[in-house]
Amino acid sequence: MKEFVIDEYKSGLGHIVLSLESDMDFKFNWKKSDKKLISSDDFSLLICETKIQNSWLPKDMKVDSSHIWICLITKESNQPNPLKLKIKLVKFNSDTTWDYASGEDLDAIEIQNAKYIGHIGTEDAEAFRKRAEENNDLPLRFGDKLGFSASRDYSFTEYIDFGFITNIPELKKGEFIYFHYISAINEKKFSEDGIEMAGISTWYAVDQNKQKFEVYLSTNA
């Protein structure tokens, strides 16, 4: 598969790259400061970008830097063509580590080095299932597959080192599907007894639901 880079965000932890993996050829139809339209013969993708607002977080929490990618993917043909979205930290220091940091309706990883700590988060299988059952920018027919129970143990998204890959399911012509990825990073801060305190804010920051971002999806917004 070929990789098509959508965006690269420079942070204190390294560069966070959002890309497509596909055998198809993609191109940018247009770019604005906070939006991009990307297409191939079989797909179009509207990518909206914004940042975390500290007013979204609990009192006394804040994030120093953040980036949000909101993705609406539309199938433009009935031709079956595998497509993946990938978000991953690259170009990082040798002391950088990552770990799992999931929560309710949340797939997330925690990344840190000597100076910075941060998270990358996205919806998990249960969040996908709920949206499918509501036909909320996710086709209803996928609701029976998604989740973590014994009868339906499936998600579009999988963990990789320092990031995630989302496997776009087979869509019919005219169908569309929504995904988002959130990164939030703070400089480390320690309590008097040596407990790192800044990471809890970045975890809360990536734990956001789709409803908060729907306003960004209009091409005229």
Side-chain angles (χ1 to χ4, degrees):
M1 281 189 167
K2 297 176 284 190
E3 184 170 15
F4 179 89
V5 174
I6 298 170
D7 192 43
E8 184 168 349
Y9 173 63
K10 298 178 183 179
S11 75
L13 288 169
H15 295 206
I16 301 172
V17 175
L18 179 68
S19 63
L20 294 169
E21 290 189 349
S22 172
D23 292 328
M24 296 171 282
D25 292 320
F26 281 87
K27 65 179 181 180
F28 288 106
N29 294 68
W30 50 259
K31 296 182 186 181
K32 299 180 181 179
S33 60
D34 59 349
K35 286 187 174 71
K36 301 177 176 76
L37 185 66
I38 302 163
S39 69
S40 70
D41 290 339
D42 300 314
F43 290 93
S44 62
L45 294 89
L46 177 65
I47 310 294
C48 306
E49 299 174 38
T50 188
K51 297 184 182 301
I52 291 291
Q53 299 177 29
N54 284 320
S55 60
W56 298 348
L57 306 181
K59 185 179 178 181
D60 300 325
M61 289 189 183
K62 70 180 186 68
V63 294
D64 299 330
S65 64
S66 65
H67 204 87
I68 302 168
W69 296 269
I70 302 158
C71 311
L72 189 66
I73 302 170
T74 304
K75 189 69 184 294
E76 303 291 355
S77 77
N78 285 317
Q79 182 70 24
N81 259 319
L83 178 65
K84 299 180 180 184
L85 274 168
K86 181 170 73 173
I87 188 162
K88 184 174 181 176
L89 182 75
V90 300
K91 301 178 184 177
F92 48 82
N93 294 340
S94 59
D95 66 342
T96 306
T97 61
W98 75 276
D99 203 353
Y100 301 97
S102 60
E104 184 176 357
D105 292 343
L106 175 69
D107 278 336
I109 59 171
E110 180 180 275
I111 305 173
Q112 57 182 308
N113 60 24
K115 187 175 182 180
Y116 295 97
I117 188 167
H119 289 80
I120 300 173
T122 189
E123 293 177 305
D124 71 1
E126 283 298 314
F128 293 146
R129 179 185 61 78
K130 293 171 188 176
R131 285 207 290 115
E133 290 174 349
E134 298 169 356
N135 203 20
N136 181 359
D137 289 343
L138 205 164
L140 184 66
R141 68 180 182 279
F142 294 116
D144 291 338
K145 296 181 178 180
L146 293 157
F148 296 125
S149 67
S151 60
R152 45 186 182 187
D153 184 14
Y154 173 70
S155 181
F156 302 131
T157 298
E158 58 189 74
Y159 288 83
I160 59 174
D161 287 346
F162 295 97
F164 297 98
I165 283 181
T166 300
N167 298 285
I168 310 306
E170 188 60 46
L171 301 174
K172 300 174 183 177
K173 184 178 180 179
E175 286 185 329
F176 48 86
I177 194 166
Y178 166 101
F179 300 100
H180 68 243
Y181 305 95
I182 307 172
S183 68
I185 297 163
N186 276 341
E187 190 168 347
K188 285 183 171 180
K189 295 181 177 65
F190 294 91
S191 65
E192 291 182 358
D193 52 0
I195 298 174
E196 203 292 312
M197 303 294 289
I200 188 66
S201 295
T202 58
W203 186 86
Y204 270 98
V206 304
D207 187 18
Q208 308 293 332
N209 62 39
K210 174 182 179 288
Q211 185 177 2
K212 190 154 283 173
F213 305 132
E214 288 174 348
V215 66
Y216 298 99
L217 290 173
S218 168
T219 56
N220 298 316

